[in-house]
């Protein structure tokens, strides 16, 4: 009986340790095409830089993050998002309205438009109209 209790305790300790220390890859992306000017850099919370390696106006980064809840905003040098309280992707904090995310596993988040919880509206492609 003593050995079973010890084995159970060791297994539970291992499970809890792995759960607490578990990290996941989360990919963020924001469409900056309607920002107004080409930003010199786009960041998450002014700290984690995103890149636009193919110059399509969509900035991306993959971060290794621990499971749990996070609040964040996209920022550019000298500017941060102005999100609306009550939007589905936001949470109100003493520091303002931020995006909110619960991390439970590896994830690729949908591309959102700057200052929005949604994708940017499609833009018309120039061409012949008949």
């Amino acid at each position: 009986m003593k050995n079973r209790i010890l084995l159970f305790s060791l297994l539970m300790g291992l499970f809890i340790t792995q759960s607490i220390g578990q990290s996941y890859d989360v990919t963020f992306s924001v469409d900056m095409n309607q920002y107004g000017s080409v930003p010199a850099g786009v960041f998450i919370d002014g700290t984690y830089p995103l890149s636009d390696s193919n110059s399509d106006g969509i900035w991306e980064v993959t971060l290794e993050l621990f499971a749990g809840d996070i609040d964040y905003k996209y920022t550019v040098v000298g500017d941060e998002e102005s999100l609306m309280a009550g939007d589905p992707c936001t949470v109100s904090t003493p520091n303002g309205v931020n995006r909110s995310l619960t991390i439970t596993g590896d994830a690729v988040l949908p591309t959102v438009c700057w200052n929005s919880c949604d994708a940017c509206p499609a833009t018309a492609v120039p061409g012949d109209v008949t």
Side-chain angles (χ1 to χ4, degrees):
M1 178 70 167
K2 198 174 196 181
N3 286 341
R4 284 185 185 171
I5 293 172
L6 179 60
L7 179 61
F8 178 76
S9 297
L10 288 173
L11 289 174
M12 286 306 295
L14 179 62
F15 173 76
I16 291 169
T17 301
Q18 287 179 345
S19 296
I20 292 172
Q22 184 66 46
S23 62
Y24 300 101
D25 289 335
V26 180
T27 301
F28 298 83
S29 62
V30 60
D31 187 333
M32 299 299 292
N33 285 302
Q34 297 182 12
Y35 180 71
S37 62
V38 177
V42 179
F43 302 84
I44 294 179
D45 291 333
T47 304
Y48 305 100
L50 288 80
S51 66
D52 182 13
S53 58
N54 61 358
S55 300
D56 65 353
I58 297 174
W59 294 69
E60 302 171 320
V61 67
T62 299
L63 300 174
E64 185 177 340
L65 301 170
F66 290 107
D69 297 330
I70 64 166
D71 299 340
Y72 67 100
K73 280 186 180 178
Y74 293 108
T75 62
V76 297
V77 177
D79 195 10
E80 68 177 30
E81 291 185 294
S82 298
L83 299 164
M84 301 296 295
D87 281 348
C89 68
T90 66
V91 63
S92 294
T93 70
N95 296 326
V97 179
N98 295 319
R99 294 178 183 275
S100 178
L101 175 65
T102 300
I103 300 166
T104 58
D106 292 339
V108 176
L109 303 179
T111 301
V112 294
C113 201
W114 171 265
N115 281 335
S116 174
C117 294
D118 302 313
C120 290
T123 55
V125 176
D128 295 334
V129 177
T130 55

